[in-house]
Amino acid sequence: MKDNNVTYENENGFDLQEETDLNENSTVESETEKKETINSDKKKKKDKKQDKEEFNFKKELFSWIKIFVVAVVIAFFINNVIIMNANVPSGSMKNTISEGDRMIGLRTAYWFSDPQRGDIVIFENPDYKENGSRADDKYYVKRVIGMPGDKVVISNAKVYINNSKTPLNETYLPEEWTQVNGDEEPLEYKVPKGCYFLMGDNRNNSSDARFWKNTYVKRSKIIAKAEFKYWPWNHKGFFAKVKYAQ
């Protein structure tokens, strides 16, 4: 007698066990493909993140290089066009400027005007190209005493301008002027046009126009006007403007 409730084949003629195995294989393959897709997506995201990090690093590095280059250019421009940073190696300007002081000179000070009597200027040593000159001797700092066309007379430690009976009131001298001061015979100088007569404040210990082979400094050789000292810190400050009696 045949059991109508038991069947070993489905209506397509396949064994049920075989169909079940196929379904399971299909499910496993589907899960594997899904995992592979997920892993592929993760790898793509990771690679994209690494590429982005590498790009950001290069971008950041380029940004810093650009900032550095701009800073160097600005510093070069300021130091060679706007200001002059100077170290004073001697005591020829004591007590206004002491040996070892650091100061700032303004290159723009004489762009639209000329040096005035009493100004402290940074200039190229007129004897710099003479035999025996050292690199340290290229730039000097002195005070403007004689203007273009002036007659300067040094007599008995006093400076007279253009036959004036009244000498310059030089309150900035640190001590009594005893060396090369015109006490035996007056020293007379006629300043050429376009030139200046310069001396240090420390007259007893200053290499200046009284001793130079090329006595006068050309206008074109005056580089900057000394404005203030910034080192040592306890000596910092602006240089006082000097006004001489007319």
Side-chain angles (χ1 to χ4, degrees), residues 84-106 110 118-126 136-145 172 197-203 205-210 212 217 221-229 239:
M84 185 172 190
N85 185 9
N87 174 45
V88 182
S90 73
S92 67
M93 284 294 293
K94 284 183 178 179
N95 289 327
T96 307
I97 306 172
S98 298
E99 185 176 356
D101 283 356
R102 297 200 68 88
M103 64 181 184
I104 294 293
L106 192 60
Y110 300 129
D119 286 358
I120 300 172
V121 297
I122 304 171
F123 60 97
E124 187 175 312
N125 173 9
D136 292 343
D137 294 331
K138 184 171 184 179
Y139 299 111
Y140 278 179
V141 179
K142 306 291 181 189
R143 192 181 295 275
V144 176
I145 300 299
Y172 41 75
F197 183 86
L198 309 179
M199 287 197 291
D201 288 356
N202 187 7
R203 302 285 162 78
N205 187 24
S206 173
S207 172
D208 52 38
R210 295 169 295 163
W212 296 333
V217 176
K221 298 299 183 180
I222 295 178
I223 300 169
K225 179 182 180 182
E227 293 288 355
F228 66 91
K229 295 181 294 185
F239 297 120

Side-chain angles (χ1 to χ4, degrees), residues 14-158:
F14 291 104
D15 182 75
L16 289 176
Q17 182 63 39
E18 183 178 343
E19 183 178 4
T20 301
D21 291 342
L22 289 172
N23 289 336
E24 288 178 354
N25 289 338
S26 177
T27 301
V28 170
E29 289 177 359
S30 177
E31 289 295 328
T32 302
E33 290 176 356
K34 187 175 181 181
K35 289 181 180 179
E36 289 178 351
T37 301
I38 292 173
N39 291 336
S40 176
D41 290 342
K42 287 183 177 179
K43 188 175 184 303
K44 287 179 180 179
K45 288 180 180 180
K46 185 177 180 182
D47 292 342
K48 188 176 181 180
K49 185 178 180 181
Q50 288 178 344
D51 291 341
K52 186 177 181 181
E53 288 177 352
E54 183 178 356
F55 174 76
N56 288 339
F57 172 76
K58 289 180 179 179
K59 185 177 180 181
E60 188 73 15
L61 180 61
F62 177 75
S63 176
W64 279 106
I65 291 174
K66 184 167 66 174
I67 291 172
F68 176 77
V69 171
V70 171
V72 169
V73 171
I74 292 174
F76 179 84
F77 176 81
I78 291 175
N79 201 46
N80 288 275
V81 178
I82 306 299
I83 66 170
M84 185 172 190
N85 185 9
N87 174 45
V88 182
S90 73
S92 67
M93 284 294 293
K94 284 183 178 179
N95 289 327
T96 307
I97 306 172
S98 298
E99 185 176 356
D101 283 356
R102 297 200 68 88
M103 64 181 184
I104 294 293
L106 192 60
R107 293 177 184 268
T108 59
Y110 300 129
W111 280 8
F112 306 106
S113 63
D114 292 320
Q116 298 300 307
R117 197 185 327 278
D119 286 358
I120 300 172
V121 297
I122 304 171
F123 60 97
E124 187 175 312
N125 173 9
D127 288 346
Y128 175 65
K129 294 183 179 179
E130 300 295 330
N131 293 334
S133 293
R134 302 174 303 171
D136 292 343
D137 294 331
K138 184 171 184 179
Y139 299 111
Y140 278 179
V141 179
K142 306 291 181 189
R143 192 181 295 275
V144 176
I145 300 299
M147 301 286 288
D150 276 353
K151 177 183 178 182
V152 179
V153 175
I154 300 174
S155 178
N156 294 315
K158 299 293 183 181

